[in-house]
Amino acid sequence: MAQFDVHRNMGKHRDDIPYVVLVQSSLYDNYRRRVVVPLVRKAALGKPGNPRFNPSFNIENVQVVLHPLEIVSVPIELLGEYVTSLSSEGNRIMDTLDELLTRAWG
């Protein structure tokens, strides 16, 4: 497993959230959990308010949108099969997480 790997979502909302993308640094590979961000079907999410905060991707001919407000940690054994890597989109994903976690004053 590597940062920005995409896995099938095995959770109960997999119809609307078919994939998750691993965002956790490899520095923490010895832990039994992985931090992932859902990739929601664009049709289920509607029009994102901010494309920088909700970048879209095409995975297996499915238009999905990164949904960072639903970031979660899951046990490794609950990650579905590997689908693809978004490593070439890593900067866009990290920009989104930076925006989510950056302090905003007033």
Side-chain angles (χ1 to χ4, degrees):
M1 284 178 216
Q3 191 173 42
F4 309 122
D5 279 357
V6 174
H7 292 266
R8 292 198 192 286
N9 179 15
M10 302 305 290
K12 61 184 173 182
H13 299 291
R14 63 184 163 264
D15 290 340
D16 288 336
I17 305 169
Y19 312 104
V20 295
V21 60
L22 186 105
V23 295
Q24 179 173 314
S25 167
S26 62
L27 292 172
Y28 304 102
D29 279 354
N30 60 330
Y31 290 91
R32 63 174 203 84
R33 300 183 71 86
R34 295 295 181 266
V35 177
V36 298
V37 178
L39 293 166
V40 181
R41 285 184 190 272
K42 197 169 191 174
L45 190 60
K47 183 178 177 176
N50 180 350
R52 175 181 152 88
F53 191 64
N54 299 108
S56 60
F57 308 98
N58 188 314
I59 298 173
E60 297 183 319
N61 294 317
V62 177
Q63 283 296 118
V64 293
V65 176
L66 189 73
H67 199 334
L69 291 175
E70 297 291 332
I71 195 169
V72 66
S73 164
V74 297
I76 293 171
E77 61 271 11
L78 293 183
L79 278 178
E81 72 176 300
Y82 169 84
V83 176
T84 191
S85 174
L86 288 176
S87 61
S88 65
E89 300 289 350
N91 286 340
R92 288 175 64 203
I93 294 168
M94 293 311 292
D95 286 349
T96 296
L97 295 177
D98 284 347
E99 188 166 327
L100 174 67
L101 301 172
T102 298
R103 289 188 214 179
W105 301 102

